[in-house]
């Protein structure tokens, strides 16, 4: 077994392990420590059945069934299938998930603190996933902006990215927006939070899931969003994960920005995702 840091700012990688190895408490504890301290853990080439993925997720916290039932694994509702593949003229899963920079489900009041992805059928030439650290973004934020956002909250919403489905056909734009707001009411989160494991401050919020910073006028919001967009997408501070078959990725949703990249035409890509709620009763994240 080998463990190495992927970049100076985010991610550690574990190689040379099997599912049976991870069943050993001392090995699994090393994996959890990677997630806690480095935001993102990558385990290369880990062959897993859906049952084994759920079992591993259960050792982190409590796997949560995906909200949209039609994209759940047919036998395991805890697994969301992200796929552009078609079988019998029906989609295997939901395509084009998360193709923009975000922190998972920040538009919810209490997002699940961990996400786990397993690469079931993944090309190596496209469909990469980009990662950036919210701790690193806050560290690089100019001091004038750190001062301006200190103690402030932001309004998070799914409105900018809500997909239009068959159920929405015939609605006006105003009706559609009202329906989205009813189903996913905007929620407030502090802009600067502290990681419960490391104590480090980080920026919580990405422009695609934020409506505004409360107390900022329109110009200030526009300027602030532009600043953090540049910091998040700075190529010198982005890790590009080029998938290989059976890679397992686990990250802390609050401190990890990520975005999916496009898949080249004619190529199928399928990954299994599990959202993991915290376990325990001390108010901290699991593990």
């Amino acid at each position: 077994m080998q463990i190495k840091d992927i970049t100076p700012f985010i991610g550690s990688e574990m190689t040379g392990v099997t599912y049976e190895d991870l069943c050993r408490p001392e090995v699994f504890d090393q994996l959890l420590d990677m997630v806690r301290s480095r935001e993102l853990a990558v385990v290369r080439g880990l062959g897993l059945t859906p049952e084994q993925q759920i079992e591993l997720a259960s050792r982190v916290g409590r796997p949560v069934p995906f909200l949209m039932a039609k994209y759940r694994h047919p036998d395991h509702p805890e697994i969301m299938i992200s796929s552009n593949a078609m079988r019998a003229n029906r989609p295997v899963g939901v395509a084009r998930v998360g193709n923009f920079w975000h922190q998972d489900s920040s538009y919810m009041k209490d997002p699940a603190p961990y996400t786990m992805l397993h690469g079931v059928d993944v090309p190596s030439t496209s469909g990469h996933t980009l990662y950036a650290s919210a701790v690193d973004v806050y560290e690089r934020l100019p001091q004038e902006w750190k001062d301006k956002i200190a103690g402030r909250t932001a309004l998070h919403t799914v409105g900018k990215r809500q997909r239009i489905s068959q159920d929405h056909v015939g609605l006006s734009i105003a009706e559609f927006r009202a329906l989205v707001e009813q189903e996913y009411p905007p929620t407030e989160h502090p802009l600067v939070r502290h990681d419960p494991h490391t104590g480090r401050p980080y920026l919580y919020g990405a422009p695609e899931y934020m409506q505004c910073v409360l107390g900022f006028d329109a110009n200030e919001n526009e300027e602030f969003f532009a600043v953090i967009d540049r910091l998040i997408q700075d190529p010198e501070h982005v890790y590009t994960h080029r998938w290989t078959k059976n890679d397992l990725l686990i990250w802390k949703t609050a401190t990890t920005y990520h975005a999916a990249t496009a898949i080249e035409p004619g190529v199928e890509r399928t990954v299994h995702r599990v959202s993991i709620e915290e376990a325990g009763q001390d108010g901290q994240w699991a593990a």
Side-chain angles (χ1 to χ4, degrees):
M1 180 181 73
Q2 292 184 326
I3 296 175
K4 67 176 183 179
D5 287 347
I6 299 172
T7 74
F9 47 86
I10 193 172
S12 288
E13 180 181 276
M14 178 182 283
T15 55
V17 296
T18 64
Y19 171 75
E20 289 72 24
D21 293 328
L22 288 175
C23 288
R24 294 159 47 201
E26 66 274 18
V27 178
F28 194 79
D29 285 348
Q30 287 181 281
L31 177 62
L32 285 178
D33 184 65
M34 290 163 57
V35 181
R36 293 191 197 110
S37 60
R38 298 288 297 160
E39 325 302 341
L40 166 71
V42 176
V43 185
R44 289 286 188 179
L46 184 67
L48 292 176
T49 65
E51 294 86 353
Q52 289 171 335
Q53 182 179 359
I54 293 169
E55 196 281 330
L56 289 178
S58 298
R59 297 175 65 188
V60 178
R62 185 175 74 88
V64 184
F66 186 55
L67 183 65
M68 298 175 67
K70 66 179 180 178
Y71 295 127
R72 294 173 183 168
H73 190 287
D75 302 315
H76 305 284
E78 301 92 339
I79 293 177
M80 182 201 84
I81 301 177
S82 173
S83 178
N84 65 343
M86 300 287 290
R87 298 290 183 269
N89 293 319
R90 294 175 61 88
V92 172
V94 56
R96 294 181 66 248
V97 174
N99 58 331
F100 54 92
W101 283 101
H102 63 287
Q103 289 149 310
D104 282 328
S105 303
S106 73
Y107 54 86
M108 298 176 64
K109 183 180 179 181
D110 295 303
Y114 293 99
T115 297
M116 175 186 284
L117 278 188
H118 188 233
V120 176
D121 182 15
V122 287
S124 60
T125 53
S126 64
H128 312 313
T129 307
L130 311 178
Y131 291 93
S133 165
V135 174
D136 179 61
V137 167
Y138 181 75
E139 287 179 353
R140 291 183 289 118
L141 193 67
Q143 188 60 48
E144 63 178 296
W145 281 108
K146 288 182 179 178
D147 294 340
K148 289 187 72 169
I149 67 173
R152 291 191 182 273
T153 59
L155 196 62
H156 292 238
T157 175
V158 74
K160 295 180 184 179
R161 285 292 176 172
Q162 176 67 22
R163 294 185 176 198
I164 297 174
S165 70
Q166 285 293 116
D167 296 337
H168 303 132
V169 173
L171 295 179
S172 69
I173 292 176
E175 289 170 332
F176 174 68
R177 287 176 174 168
L179 180 62
V180 170
E181 189 161 321
Q182 179 182 344
E183 293 180 350
Y184 303 100
T187 187
E188 296 180 19
H189 293 294
L191 265 173
V192 182
R193 298 165 61 170
H194 288 78
D195 185 282
H197 293 300
T198 66
R200 295 179 296 185
Y202 63 93
L203 186 69
Y204 192 58
E208 293 300 315
Y209 276 162
M210 281 197 296
Q211 183 172 310
C212 65
V213 177
L214 299 180
F216 278 10
D217 62 29
N219 290 332
E220 289 174 311
N221 275 303
E222 183 176 355
E223 186 178 356
F224 178 60
F225 286 2
V227 168
I228 60 176
D229 251 344
R230 287 196 298 271
L231 293 175
I232 293 169
Q233 300 182 49
D234 181 348
E236 297 297 318
H237 293 262
V238 170
Y239 163 60
T240 301
H241 183 75
R242 292 174 170 81
W243 288 84
T244 56
K245 187 174 177 58
N246 289 329
D247 286 351
L248 182 75
L249 275 62
I250 310 172
W251 65 87
K252 295 188 290 190
T253 60
T255 58
T256 308
Y257 291 105
H258 60 288
T261 62
I263 305 167
E264 59 193 306
V267 174
E268 292 186 355
R269 179 181 186 273
T270 299
V271 297
H272 286 177
R273 168 180 164 166
V274 178
S275 292
I276 308 169
E277 284 188 344
E278 63 184 358
Q281 316 198 346
D282 58 358
Q284 299 297 311
W285 288 353

